[in-house]
Amino acid sequence: MNTATSTDSIADARDIALTPGDVVLDEFVEARGPWSAVVAAGEVLTIVDLEGNQAVDCLLYAAGDTTVRYSAPVTIARQQSIVLTAGSVLRAETGVPLMTVVADEVGVHDTIGGACSQESNTLRYGQHTREQHACVENFLIEGSRWGLGKRDLVSNINWFMNVPVDPDGALGIVDGLSAPGKRIALRAEVDTLVLVSNCPQINNPCNGFNPTPVRMIVTRPEAAK
């Protein structure tokens, strides 16, 4: 259930995926576009930041019961850190693990900065930005394919996005730490619906003011067969 284009003719996904195994999905997400897929338990999703400095906003749901969904507060509290990186367990509000970060070539990913919306754009950047497409619109478009609506949108993850926190608690959204070809890999602990907005933000440095495509590769390791 995806709108992204299959890329069978591009470089071999087996050489790019961070976890070896059978390739069960290999798709690009266009710049500014949405994407979604169910990653089965044991499979690994590798997200490739093709051109670097691209924020990838992400929501997670248990595929069998979408009322079980990612919770940033629970994830942060359990790991005692606001930073997501290798070893982070991405948990639902019940504490149930949905996915685990099993490899990370960047080292810092955000889960407190939230997702951009028409409303937040207007507040931060002025009324002239109201009609700009934003992550919330991407989530609503793609989520509708799975029966999800606005009330189902919860705290999100911003892969590859750099949000330092000052000692006084102030947040910054600054140039990313990623680079062309950098990757992160997520293993599904249960069948997990992954909903993505390849962030269209052009008003702050999270995308270098230039949104670019990313690649999504799902592999099934031998142990998961």
Side-chain angles (χ1 to χ4, degrees):
M1 188 175 287
N2 289 290
T3 56
T5 302
S6 176
T7 55
D8 294 340
S9 62
I10 309 232
D12 194 330
R14 291 171 296 183
D15 297 331
I16 299 172
L18 278 170
T19 299
D22 294 339
V23 175
V24 297
L25 180 149
D26 177 19
E27 296 179 337
F28 278 21
V29 187
E30 63 182 355
R32 305 168 184 254
W35 178 90
S36 63
V38 172
V39 182
E43 294 179 347
V44 177
L45 168 64
T46 297
I47 305 175
V48 186
D49 187 4
L50 292 168
E51 298 185 30
N53 211 18
Q54 172 62 31
V56 180
D57 290 40
C58 178
L59 296 169
L60 304 175
Y61 303 83
D65 179 2
T66 55
T67 65
V68 179
R69 51 196 59 170
Y70 174 72
S71 169
V74 172
T75 298
I76 290 170
R78 289 290 189 95
Q79 69 173 10
Q80 295 292 294
S81 172
I82 60 173
V83 173
L84 301 182
T85 187
S88 292
V89 180
L90 311 174
R91 298 180 184 274
E93 69 277 12
T94 59
V96 170
L98 296 172
M99 304 187 91
T100 299
V101 181
V102 293
D104 178 13
E105 296 184 326
V106 177
V108 174
H109 304 266
D110 168 67
T111 191
I112 58 176
C116 62
S117 67
Q118 289 179 318
E119 291 80 5
S120 65
N121 282 343
T122 302
L123 181 64
R124 290 171 177 164
Y125 310 114
Q127 287 292 332
H128 66 285
T129 66
R130 176 170 289 279
E131 303 308 319
Q132 291 179 358
H133 194 61
C135 284
V136 169
E137 284 70 52
N138 272 342
F139 284 143
L140 290 173
I141 291 169
E142 195 68 18
S144 67
R145 300 172 181 272
W146 303 90
L148 301 174
K150 202 164 191 176
R151 68 176 60 185
D152 301 304
L153 302 188
V154 290
S155 50
N156 68 294
I157 301 161
N158 296 305
W159 300 119
F160 306 115
M161 187 166 153
N162 186 17
V163 182
V165 180
D166 294 335
D168 64 0
L171 303 181
I173 298 176
V174 298
D175 280 342
L177 302 174
S178 188
K182 292 289 186 181
R183 301 165 293 178
I184 187 165
L186 317 170
R187 183 185 63 229
E189 306 301 346
V190 297
D191 292 352
T192 304
L193 170 61
V194 181
L195 195 63
V196 158
S197 168
N198 194 22
C199 184
Q201 184 56 255
I202 58 173
N203 300 292
N204 68 44
C206 71
N207 291 330
F209 307 102
N210 179 34
T212 52
V214 296
R215 188 173 183 177
M216 316 295 275
I217 301 169
V218 176
T219 51
R220 183 180 297 124
E222 183 69 29
K225 295 179 182 177

